[in-house]
Amino acid sequence: MKKQLFVLSVFAALTAATVYGQDFNKLKVDVPFSFHVGKATMPAGEYDVRTNSIAPGVLTLRSPDCKSAINIITIPAQAPQTHERGMLVFNHYKGEYFLSQVWNAGTNSGVALRKTRREVEIAKGEFKTEQTELYAKSR
């Protein structure tokens, strides 16, 4: 029994170390306007934006004080060119902003977010979608 407990403890420790050591794509972005992510509305402010290799389809946005945070499922995206800096892309309609894409620095990979019912409803009748790009701060 003690041997099994020891083996289980070692396995748990190695698993935790592996999870902790996963590559995270991190961005720090200052968003000067409130915006929609999924069904949530996030206030203007600074955000840490993260994706990771354990749950590659999940995007996490969190304010430094953790008062504003959300996890949302995304779709993988590829750009024809490599982005030198990480950035967030917002769709802008009638004064409202919707997070649309997140691009990682030094690569052509990123994630896209599905349009919510609200975004589709507001976008009706718009002939052109304005996009706003916010670049990540240097670390």
Side-chain angles (χ1 to χ4, degrees), residues 26-136:
K26 297 185 239 181
L27 302 174
K28 187 175 287 260
V29 180
D30 192 14
V31 183
F33 45 78
S34 64
F35 61 99
H36 300 280
V37 179
K39 294 180 181 178
T41 301
M42 309 296 279
E46 185 174 86
Y47 287 90
D48 289 320
V49 182
R50 298 174 183 229
T51 59
N52 68 59
S53 58
I54 298 168
V58 177
L59 179 72
T60 301
L61 282 87
R62 187 183 74 215
S63 62
D65 62 4
C66 296
K67 289 183 178 179
S68 299
I70 188 168
N71 292 315
I72 189 154
I73 296 174
T74 61
I75 306 162
Q78 293 282 331
Q81 77 282 356
T82 299
H83 294 282
E84 290 183 29
R85 296 171 59 191
M87 70 175 165
L88 274 58
V89 179
F90 296 87
N91 290 334
H92 179 212
Y93 317 92
K94 301 177 185 174
E96 292 193 51
Y97 292 86
F98 296 82
L99 182 60
S100 170
Q101 303 165 359
V102 177
W103 296 99
N104 300 316
T107 182
N108 68 338
S109 66
V111 296
L113 286 75
R114 296 185 199 284
K115 288 185 178 183
T116 62
R117 285 186 194 153
R118 177 160 178 74
E119 182 175 0
V120 171
E121 183 179 301
I122 289 175
K124 285 182 182 174
E126 292 285 315
F127 294 107
K128 182 180 173 190
T129 302
E130 289 185 34
Q131 289 194 325
T132 302
E133 297 176 353
L134 296 178
Y135 290 95

